[in-house]
Amino acid sequence: MIIAITSFALPKPISREEAQRIFMSTAPTYQAVAGLLQKHYVLSEDGGTAGGVYFWKTREAAQAMYTPAWREFVREKYGTEPTVTYFDSPVVVDNVTGQVFQNEPGA
């Protein structure tokens, strides 16, 4: 599993309610993305930084998302340049299911 964290400084802080409204407007575009397991939208406590934590099946699936067109969408929607950081997830603690398991490389 690959985790990608995106973030961008907002031109001006937004409230949690405003963030929810904006995020709900873009959420449907992520529902049918190949290889995307989950996306968690995030907002800093001061409302000045937003982004997402994405859980991907593979690095290739993640890289297919963060294209120049995606970056342009973020710039137009939020008025700022996004960053993307990739992480491998070798071990998962899942307290919902009570499991701890290893992820296979690239899986």
Side-chain angles (χ1 to χ4, degrees), residues 20-63:
Q20 278 184 314
R21 189 171 55 256
I22 294 167
F23 297 162
M24 288 298 289
S25 76
T26 62
T29 63
Y30 294 95
Q31 288 187 296
V33 173
L36 180 62
L37 302 171
Q38 288 187 340
K39 176 183 180 179
H40 295 249
Y41 286 86
V42 294
L43 179 68
S44 63
E45 288 185 359
D46 67 1
T49 302
V53 179
Y54 299 74
F55 296 82
W56 295 96
K57 289 182 180 178
T58 65
R59 172 78 180 235
E60 293 76 23
Q63 288 177 312

Side-chain angles (χ1 to χ4, degrees), residues 8 10-11 21-23 25-26 71-80:
F8 43 90
L10 297 170
R21 189 171 55 256
I22 294 167
F23 297 162
S25 76
T26 62
R71 290 178 178 281
E72 181 61 26
F73 167 78
V74 172
R75 282 192 297 273
E76 288 179 9
K77 185 82 174 172
Y78 301 102
T80 188

Side-chain angles (χ1 to χ4, degrees), residues 1-2 57 88-94 97-107:
M1 180 186 306
I2 296 295
K57 289 182 180 178
D88 185 14
S89 178
V91 175
V92 174
V93 175
D94 185 336
T97 65
Q99 296 179 323
V100 174
F101 59 90
Q102 296 179 44
N103 281 319
E104 295 301 317

